[in-house]
Amino acid sequence: MYGFALEYADPKLKADPAFVLAAVQKNGRALKYADPELKADPKIVLAAVQQDGSALLFADPKLKADPAFVLAAVQKNGRALIYADPKLKADPGIVLAAVQQDGSALLFADPKLKA
C-alpha cells in the first residue's frame, strides 16, 4: 500500500489507527490525510516523522511542542525544524541535531542561537 492512498480512503479508514499507521510507515507525509484525532496520536505521529521528518508539518500543535517528537523529526530531516514550536527552535539540543542532519536547518533556528 502506498501511503498517499490515504488521501482517497473512506473517512472511516482515515480514522482507523491501524490503517493510518500502515500508511504513514510507507510515507510519513500521508499523515496529512489522517483524521485530526490521529494527528495527535503519539504512536502514529512518531511513525510518520521517523519515516519522513517533514511529516511534523501535519502533526497536532501539542506534538510540535514536544521535544521527543521534534527531535525524531529533525534527526530524519533537519529542515523539519521549520515546523517545530518556536520554543524548540531555541533549544540548543534540538537545533544541534537539526543542523547535524542538514546544515541549512540553521535558517529556522531562533535568532538568539545564531549570534
Side-chain angles (χ1 to χ4, degrees):
M1 176 175 101
Y2 296 100
F4 276 121
L6 188 60
E7 178 180 5
Y8 306 103
D10 183 274
K12 289 180 184 175
L13 290 175
K14 291 180 181 185
D16 180 298
F19 188 83
V20 172
L21 181 61
V24 300
Q25 286 173 331
K26 294 282 187 191
N27 186 328
R29 293 182 61 89
L31 185 64
K32 174 180 181 177
Y33 304 107
D35 184 87
E37 274 190 41
L38 297 182
K39 292 178 182 182
D41 182 300
K43 182 178 180 183
I44 289 172
V45 173
L46 184 59
V49 300
Q50 286 176 331
Q51 198 285 321
D52 182 339
S54 66
L56 187 64
L57 168 64
F58 307 112
D60 184 89
K62 290 178 187 169
L63 296 180
K64 290 180 182 183
D66 184 310
F69 287 90
V70 173
L71 183 60
V74 301
Q75 286 175 331
K76 188 70 175 177
N77 179 346
R79 295 178 64 87
L81 185 63
I82 194 171
Y83 307 122
D85 182 90
K87 287 186 316 188
L88 296 180
K89 291 179 181 183
D91 180 300
I94 298 285
V95 173
L96 177 61
V99 171
Q100 286 175 329
Q101 200 287 321
D102 183 335
S104 68
L106 190 59
L107 292 169
F108 311 115
D110 187 284
K112 295 173 194 163
L113 294 179
K114 299 180 197 178

